[in-house]
Amino acid sequence: MSHDKWFELAEIYATGALDGEDRSRFESHLNTGCTLCREHLKENEEALTLLPQSLSLVEPSPLLRARLLEKIAKEAPLAAGPVPGSKSLSWMIPVGVFAMVSLVFVLVLNVAKTRDQLNAFQKMASAPGMMRVELKGMDPNPNASAQILLSMEKKTGMMMTQGLQPTPEGKIYELWYIMDNKPVPAGTFAVDENGFSTMAVQIADDMAKIQKFAVTLEPVGGVPQPTGPMYLIGAL
Amino acid sequence: MPNDPSLNSVELISRIARQDRDAFKDFYDAFASLSYTFALRILRSKADAEDLVQEVFLQVWRQAGNYNPKRGKPEAWIITITKSRAIDKIRSQRRRDMKAPQLEEAFQTKGEEMTVRGAADSEVRLTVEGALDEISEVQKAVLELAYFEGLTQTEIAERLKIPIGTVKTRIRDGLKHLRGVLKLAGEKNR
């Protein structure tokens, strides 16, 4: 197919209207790493942002701001990610949520600290009330694996991955939990050059209803429904 | 609100990634209206739009570290997150066959709720608005059905009773115009 044709699909894709076989073909093409199409898609996505920016702005209720600030104050230590532009792909880990094991995790910047994270993870695994879920690598990356530790009481925990392929440009791994046979997004993460990562996990739903956890590769920023290949899966 | 959101907001996101709550407040003040207005346009319900804005900014708080300035401006990031969540919600609502209130109703706000933002924002908006007026109505209708309503090309063709090829052509022509507007806006900002 000529690039004019791919560009045509890229433009429809940018609006979200591309469907059926056209969508599958274009996504497969994007996954080949075509930089021309990726650039063209980005240019069109950016142009489309003019539509919402042209609307007359309406202010949300001041109560929303207050509610949101209260929420982040409560979960402040929960979910810091890597600082944009930093080469480190490690994560700030929850502080306080695991008071029972009195562990404090910090942003790790080098291998030694990664080892510390690993040790901390192992300590957490032996704490009472923790549930462990093993995730196994799927076809794209069969040697990868992950473990999730979750406090049944607090519905918070931590995932550690190893052996995942380094995150490609424009992509990010996304964790899902599956309940009622439907995937629920649970956060995105990148991995370091060794496929290692840790991330905080927080479950918003009834833990008893969770059937599985899975990890897929998705566009940066994450998506509300999985669209990319599955890399890891594990049942409770 | 920061003096120049387009310049300062990348720095704000870096600070949010380090769990800086003051930076989060500034970022919220700069972009909450954009997110809310966009969500309201898609969802047509103030309550749903506010819930969605809360989800969007919680995602910002939790995932600021994933933001890459090379892949787009902060406003584009906010728009992408808002759109993704809102379209997902509207499609889910559509599946449940819920009838949304009329758009006009949703935008009937009390005087104190409608706030005109800073001069720089207004200027950008007016430039864009003026330029968008030049897009033909048929192109705009198709673009809006895709972008704001979350309809696929097949659904748009069915809704408007036109061939799918015509839908594609109108989207492409409309986008070509938008790209021109974007270029124009970029040149004005230099």
Side-chain angles (χ1 to χ4, degrees):
Chain A
M1 189 185 279
S2 72
H3 254 97
D4 280 350
K5 283 285 176 193
W6 287 126
F7 279 9
E8 182 181 325
L9 295 184
E11 288 165 20
I12 318 283
Y13 188 84
T15 66
L18 197 65
D19 59 2
E21 277 187 26
D22 281 350
R23 187 180 182 91
S24 311
R25 268 191 305 161
F26 181 67
E27 284 180 343
S28 300
H29 176 67
L30 268 189
N31 283 336
T32 64
C34 177
T35 49
L36 282 175
C37 282
R38 215 170 269 287
E39 277 304 308
H40 193 62
L41 179 61
K42 185 182 159 195
E43 188 187 349
N44 282 285
E45 284 172 340
E46 198 177 344
L48 280 161
T49 65
L50 293 175
L51 293 176
Q53 289 186 86
S54 71
L55 298 170
S56 296
L57 290 174
V58 183
E59 295 282 352
S61 152
L63 290 176
L64 173 63
R65 187 181 192 270
R67 209 162 58 222
L68 192 57
L69 294 178
E70 192 183 327
K71 262 188 179 291
I72 70 155
K74 279 182 185 167
E75 69 168 56
L78 259 178
V83 176
S86 162
K87 286 185 177 176
S88 168
L89 295 172
S90 51
W91 292 72
M92 185 86 80
I93 303 302
V95 178
V97 290
F98 298 117
M100 69 192 81
V101 287
S102 303
L103 293 176
V104 176
F105 294 98
V106 293
L107 192 69
V108 291
L109 298 170
N110 53 44
V111 173
K113 285 190 176 176
T114 298
R115 198 180 302 125
D116 290 343
Q117 259 191 332
L118 188 59
N119 290 339
F121 189 88
Q122 285 166 346
K123 267 190 188 175
M124 188 191 296
S126 60
M130 302 301 284
M131 180 179 71
R132 182 198 292 257
V133 186
E134 303 277 350
L135 280 71
K136 290 182 178 172
M138 303 288 286
D139 260 351
N141 207 170
N143 296 325
S145 65
Q147 289 183 29
I148 297 174
L149 293 176
L150 281 169
S151 158
M152 296 296 285
E153 185 192 356
K154 296 182 182 296
K155 300 203 294 186
T156 55
M158 180 178 177
M159 179 174 73
M160 183 180 71
T161 70
Q162 51 194 1
L164 278 171
Q165 291 164 7
T167 328
E169 178 78 9
K171 296 283 183 181
I172 195 98
Y173 289 110
E174 186 158 11
L175 174 69
W176 308 86
Y177 56 87
I178 292 146
M179 51 184 288
D180 299 325
N181 296 316
K182 288 176 188 161
V184 179
T188 58
F189 63 98
V191 299
D192 68 13
E193 62 273 21
N194 300 313
F196 179 86
S197 72
T198 59
M199 74 173 280
V201 179
Q202 185 167 28
I203 305 298
D205 298 291
D206 181 357
M207 295 248 300
K209 289 185 179 172
I210 297 177
Q211 300 154 310
K212 292 177 183 174
F213 283 90
V215 169
T216 60
L217 190 63
E218 303 294 355
V220 162
V223 288
Q225 290 292 320
T227 60
M230 188 182 292
Y231 277 70
L232 295 165
I233 190 156
L236 263 71
Chain B
M1 182 177 168
N3 293 332
D4 185 347
S6 63
L7 293 176
N8 295 340
S9 44
V10 173
E11 170 58 21
L12 286 178
I13 296 173
S14 290
R15 287 168 52 201
I16 293 168
R18 297 192 294 267
Q19 304 284 272
D20 181 331
R21 286 186 221 171
D22 289 335
F24 180 81
K25 287 176 194 169
D26 283 344
F27 190 80
Y28 177 88
D29 291 342
F31 294 110
S33 296
L34 174 62
S35 177
Y36 178 67
T37 305
F38 188 22
L40 188 58
R41 172 67 179 81
I42 295 173
L43 298 172
R44 305 174 180 192
S45 150
K46 290 178 189 175
D48 287 349
E50 289 206 346
D51 284 348
L52 191 119
V53 170
Q54 179 167 304
E55 290 171 18
V56 167
F57 280 88
L58 280 176
Q59 183 172 341
V60 167
W61 176 248
R62 292 167 182 162
Q63 299 182 2
N66 291 339
Y67 171 73
N68 183 345
K70 288 180 187 165
R71 293 181 188 135
K73 293 177 179 175
E75 51 265 45
W77 187 47
I78 288 296
I79 286 170
T80 302
I81 300 173
T82 305
K83 177 171 186 282
S84 167
R85 286 179 175 273
I87 293 295
D88 186 51
K89 197 164 274 193
I90 199 78
R91 282 179 177 160
S92 161
Q93 282 176 357
R94 201 173 289 139
R95 280 195 292 273
R96 292 198 304 267
D97 201 24
M98 284 173 66
K99 191 179 175 190
Q102 292 300 306
L103 178 64
E104 291 74 13
E105 273 177 41
F107 270 79
Q108 275 172 2
T109 53
K110 292 176 189 169
E112 64 271 20
E113 288 178 308
M114 182 77 81
T115 308
V116 177
R117 304 295 301 280
D121 281 44
S122 298
E123 195 180 328
V124 169
R125 186 167 53 75
L126 290 174
T127 304
V128 172
E129 260 182 346
L132 289 180
D133 285 344
E134 292 166 21
I135 298 185
S136 78
E137 285 302 317
V138 289
Q139 289 167 8
K140 200 186 288 180
V142 168
L143 277 178
E144 289 186 348
L145 282 172
Y147 200 72
F148 290 129
E149 310 288 330
L151 296 187
T152 65
Q153 55 189 7
T154 310
E155 291 167 334
I156 295 169
E158 284 167 4
R159 169 86 66 96
L160 299 180
K161 297 183 171 45
I162 55 175
I164 200 163
T166 307
V167 173
K168 290 178 179 178
T169 305
R170 288 180 186 174
I171 286 178
R172 295 200 71 192
D173 290 346
L175 264 172
K176 188 176 175 186
H177 191 90
L178 280 182
R179 291 197 301 271
V181 175
L182 187 69
K183 199 174 166 192
L184 186 73
E187 283 166 1
K188 275 193 170 186
N189 285 339
R190 272 179 210 156

